[in-house]
Amino acid sequence: MSYTLFYAPGAASMAVHWMLIELDVPFEAVLVDIDGNQQRNQDYLRLNPTGRVPTLVVDDTPYGESVALMMLLAERHPGSGLLPEPETAQRVEWLQYCQYIDASDA
């Protein structure tokens, strides 16, 4: 498994970055200079046509949207204990926290 996280402060990247650290998996972190409009350059737009940050490249395939990335990581690493079982109150609570973290990321 290989991961490359394209991130920027204030762009809802923190939670995904934290999950990669918490999972203790190797990953590359690439800073996207939003002030310099780097998210709109052609190289980045090839990864994420919307120009949104973060983008997580998983085994050469780029994905976007923080909550989806958090769920993807938790599901790819089921032994981590980061994702509660489906159809449990803990799973609903986890989803609520994911949404909260995503919406309040600074």
Side-chain angles (χ1 to χ4, degrees):
M1 288 182 232
S2 70
Y3 299 112
T4 302
L5 175 64
F6 291 82
Y7 75 98
S13 305
M14 181 187 68
V16 179
H17 201 159
W18 165 80
M19 281 198 74
L20 288 163
I21 292 168
E22 187 70 24
L23 289 167
D24 196 28
V25 296
F27 68 96
E28 179 182 1
V30 178
L31 179 63
V32 177
D33 180 8
I34 291 180
D35 292 334
N37 217 24
Q38 189 178 11
Q39 76 279 14
R40 297 284 178 220
N41 76 31
Q42 291 305 309
D43 290 335
Y44 191 78
L45 290 173
R46 276 192 280 285
L47 289 175
N48 188 326
T50 66
R52 292 176 54 106
V53 179
T55 296
L56 182 65
V57 178
V58 179
D59 299 332
D60 298 319
T61 303
Y63 299 97
E65 300 304 327
S66 296
V67 173
L69 299 176
M70 292 168 66
M71 292 183 72
L72 172 71
L73 287 168
E75 288 176 353
R76 284 177 60 98
H77 300 276
S80 69
L82 292 177
L83 184 63
E85 292 294 318
E87 301 180 26
T88 64
Q90 292 82 12
R91 179 70 162 251
V92 174
E93 186 176 307
W94 187 84
L95 291 169
Q96 288 175 349
Y97 281 126
C98 286
Q99 291 288 22
Y100 175 78
I101 289 168
D102 181 53
S104 62
D105 193 350

